[in-house]
Amino acid sequence: MESISSPVEMFFFPFVGGGHQIPMVDMARMFAAHGAKSVIISTPKHALSFRESIHRDQQSGRPVFIEILLLPDNIDIADSDMSATPVTDTSMLQEPLKKLLLQRKPDCIVHDMFHHWAADAIDNLELNVARVVFNGNGCFASCARENISKFKPQEKVDSKYEPFVVPGLPDRIEMTRSQLPVTRIVQDNMRKSKENCYGMVVNSFYELEPAYVEQFKKGNRAWIVGPVSLYNRNIADKAERGKKAAIDEQTILSWLHSKPPNSVLYISFGSSPRFAPQQILELAHGLQASNQPFIWVIRNVFNGEGAEFLTEFEEKMRESKQGLIINGWAPQLLILEHGSVGGFMTHCGWNSTLEGVSCGVPMITWPISAEQFYNEKLVTDVLKIGVRMGSLDWLRWNMEPRVSVGRDMVEVAVKRLMGGGEEGGEMRNKARVIGEMAKKAVEGGGSSYKEAIALINELKDRRRIIE
Ligand code: UDP
């Protein structure tokens, strides 16, 4: 640990893969902007995706650094292209991490709960390092998950599609058993990480879900410090966030500039979407029938049946200028914040949800897995800024995807949100107001700004006490 007057040193140990690594890198940069010395712990392969943005921060004087864990024989984590899952094994990082912590003794380490071994490994070092957990969820999802696990309302219904009310939440929220995870992995990781931790950092903001932040804080020491994506302030950071985009920013921006305000639907399902080929075709037919402009990020490799249709569809959409398809990684923040974008069809991953919210864009919700069905409820039932697509079944990451949404459902949902009706307009207005609140939360004096400073100050005080 450094001398009392030196900045607080915070280590960030992200999980590998888009939806977890991206927000934690943003968070490290945010804490550095607030005066902490931030160190992101990564592997040679995973650091490649964010080192340019860290370099830019360093050039503008921010104390943010990357520490590479050297692995024996240059092995690396067995994930490919952002597709890590909660069971991806990262335990080969344990020894190099322990060595680093023993050498450097930072004030704090923020680790992702998916490194399921990290809590024990860090606590057993008895270093007096404040161990803070990042779970990647918002407070609504955490509260709903906790209450379902505690009160088990799903056991009191007769069928998997019969609704039950989630007990003990500030709003009346109905769910079905089909929407709940069929595995306890996330819950078990969370419980293990939380035991004896110093606290939790949450990528959300108070004004988004005040009653749920309060409920969450009753059971957990927590700092609500988001939306951290708003710390990507220049075009290069937005264009390269997570990975270099498959389309250059000029092409996408000039396409967007050519469209009227709020007219474009942005469609993306996160960092590792898994759709059955037939499902992609249903979506394509539905979009064509809706006749609304769209940008669609397709990340599945599509060789089989229907590939020809999709190629023709892509060409037709390009010629008619109705739709732009991105095959690969999209610069999501650049797109969402553009004034021509008026809707976001999303799988409700928490980062995408929060990014949609921060940009003031209403959503079409199509949850698939993880805690996405909870996020859908927040968007549609609490915030009322989203139209539900109607997917009903939680899908495990290694399960074969199947068709759950037909072309008619797509057409109806797109027309409801984007067709110029009153309902879509009201949602858009509400979303805009919440987007403004998000920006205020991270500005000087805003709720998230204050929470981040409070954690830094607490770590400073703690250092004084320990010394
Ligand atoms: N993302 C992106 N471009 C893409 C796909 C995803 O920038 O083409 C980013 C997106 O902005 C978000 C993250 O990847 O920050 C995905 O996280 P989310 O929690 O939404 O979903 P997950 O990938 O974890 O299912």
Side-chain angles (χ1 to χ4, degrees):
M1 225 167 275
E2 310 210 4
S3 76
I4 292 227
S5 57
S6 59
V8 158
E9 189 171 38
M10 299 178 76
F11 278 20
F12 293 84
F13 185 35
F15 195 63
V16 294
H20 281 246
Q21 178 170 285
I22 291 172
M24 227 155 134
V25 169
D26 285 346
M27 192 179 282
R29 299 172 58 216
M30 177 275 283
F31 274 103
H34 290 336
K37 177 179 170 190
S38 289
V39 177
I40 304 168
I41 304 171
S42 189
T43 74
K45 182 174 83 184
H46 296 96
L48 288 177
S49 62
F50 57 87
R51 67 172 182 193
E52 292 301 321
S53 64
I54 300 303
H55 189 57
R56 278 190 289 275
D57 278 8
Q58 288 171 344
Q59 282 177 326
S60 56
R62 297 215 180 128
V64 55
F65 305 90
I66 302 174
E67 191 71 48
I68 300 287
L69 294 182
L70 287 178
L71 297 161
D73 305 323
N74 289 333
I75 52 162
D76 213 324
I77 314 290
D79 69 320
S80 62
D81 194 32
M82 298 266 175
S83 62
T85 70
V87 289
T88 300
D89 183 20
T90 60
S91 59
M92 66 285 270
L93 300 177
Q94 182 163 167
E95 289 312 313
L97 176 76
K98 286 203 272 197
K99 208 165 139 197
L100 179 72
L101 290 174
L102 284 165
Q103 262 170 11
R104 299 275 291 272
K105 303 187 180 66
D107 294 284
C108 159
I109 176 164
V110 182
H111 72 91
D112 192 299
M113 66 165 181
F114 283 165
H115 294 298
H116 56 89
W117 47 269
D120 282 348
I122 298 167
D123 292 348
N124 289 342
L125 293 175
E126 296 186 0
L127 277 179
N128 256 330
V129 172
R131 183 173 62 78
V132 174
V133 178
F134 173 70
N135 74 8
N137 300 163
C139 291
F140 176 90
S142 296
C143 293
R145 184 197 285 116
E146 205 169 305
N147 285 5
I148 287 176
S149 155
K150 194 155 131 194
F151 300 112
K152 304 196 181 352
Q154 72 278 25
E155 290 177 3
K156 294 171 195 134
V157 288
D158 293 328
S159 81
K160 68 175 187 170
Y161 297 121
E162 185 183 331
F164 59 81
V165 174
V166 183
L169 294 184
D171 296 281
R172 183 186 160 85
I173 301 296
E174 284 190 358
M175 297 198 69
T176 60
R177 202 154 67 209
S178 67
Q179 298 170 321
L180 302 182
V182 294
T183 151
R184 290 189 51 88
I185 269 189
V186 172
Q187 205 126 341
D188 291 346
N189 280 341
M190 186 121 65
R191 189 183 33 76
K192 217 162 158 190
S193 302
K194 272 167 62 176
E195 267 167 30
N196 305 319
C197 77
Y198 187 74
M200 301 180 78
V201 278
V202 180
N203 185 18
S204 182
F205 59 104
Y206 179 80
E207 293 77 3
L208 179 71
E209 40 173 8
Y212 297 91
V213 169
E214 279 161 25
Q215 183 159 343
F216 185 70
K217 281 192 169 189
K218 277 190 192 138
N220 302 278
R221 291 200 78 212
W223 294 269
I224 318 297
V225 298
V228 291
S229 64
L230 290 173
Y231 282 86
N232 292 281
R233 296 208 159 123
N234 65 48
I235 291 212
D237 283 347
K238 289 175 196 164
E240 288 168 16
R241 181 166 173 261
K243 210 165 131 171
K244 201 156 177 48
I247 185 165
D248 72 273
E249 68 224 42
Q250 279 324 315
T251 310
I252 195 117
L253 289 177
S254 59
W255 193 91
L256 282 165
H257 289 332
S258 73
K259 302 290 176 213
N262 296 322
S263 66
V264 177
L265 178 67
Y266 171 60
I267 305 158
S268 175
F269 303 98
S271 56
S272 49
R274 288 164 310 115
F275 272 158
Q278 199 54 41
Q279 182 63 81
I280 295 183
L281 296 185
E282 288 300 308
L283 178 47
H285 282 293
L287 286 174
Q288 194 168 348
S290 76
N291 212 17
Q292 295 294 321
F294 65 85
I295 293 177
W296 179 10
V297 188
I298 302 186
R299 305 198 58 238
N300 301 56
V301 180
F302 200 106
N303 302 320
E305 187 198 338
E308 209 174 306
F309 167 82
L310 202 65
T311 312
E312 278 169 24
F313 172 77
E314 192 170 342
E315 254 168 51
K316 199 148 100 194
M317 292 299 107
R318 193 179 324 115
E319 275 163 22
S320 67
K321 298 198 166 42
Q322 187 195 333
L324 180 68
I325 291 176
I326 302 178
N327 287 295
W329 194 254
Q332 182 153 309
L333 294 184
L334 270 190
I335 297 171
L336 278 175
E337 69 176 18
H338 195 281
S340 298
V341 173
F344 180 14
M345 187 188 288
T346 170
H347 72 312
C348 301
W350 182 239
N351 297 292
S352 293
T353 306
L354 206 51
E355 288 158 19
V357 157
S358 307
C359 295
V361 177
M363 295 170 225
I364 295 175
T365 58
W366 185 338
I368 300 163
S369 187
E371 89 299 2
Q372 295 152 12
F373 283 93
Y374 299 130
N375 298 337
E376 172 180 67
K377 291 284 164 187
L378 174 69
V379 169
T380 57
D381 295 8
V382 180
L383 303 172
K384 301 192 182 356
I385 55 165
V387 170
R388 191 172 292 129
M389 179 65 93
S391 59
L392 292 175
D393 291 293
W394 193 93
L395 203 67
R396 200 186 163 104
W397 52 88
N398 53 3
M399 265 157 58
E400 200 49 47
R402 48 180 186 256
V403 179
S404 59
V405 170
R407 61 189 75 181
D408 298 348
M409 291 160 82
V410 174
E411 186 183 346
V412 169
V414 174
K415 285 186 172 159
R416 264 180 76 190
L417 188 68
M418 306 299 293
E422 204 176 309
E423 186 189 23
E426 273 175 21
M427 288 185 181
R428 198 154 291 116
N429 290 339
K430 274 194 200 128
R432 196 170 301 127
V433 172
I434 301 175
E436 290 310 316
M437 289 180 188
K439 290 180 188 90
K440 282 208 183 100
V442 299
E443 279 165 13
S447 59
S448 293
Y449 186 99
K450 284 194 202 148
E451 295 252 314
I453 299 285
L455 176 55
I456 293 176
N457 287 340
E458 193 173 315
L459 291 171
K460 249 185 226 161
D461 290 345
R462 189 172 174 272
R463 187 193 278 177
R464 279 194 203 102
I465 294 163
I466 291 169
E467 290 194 352

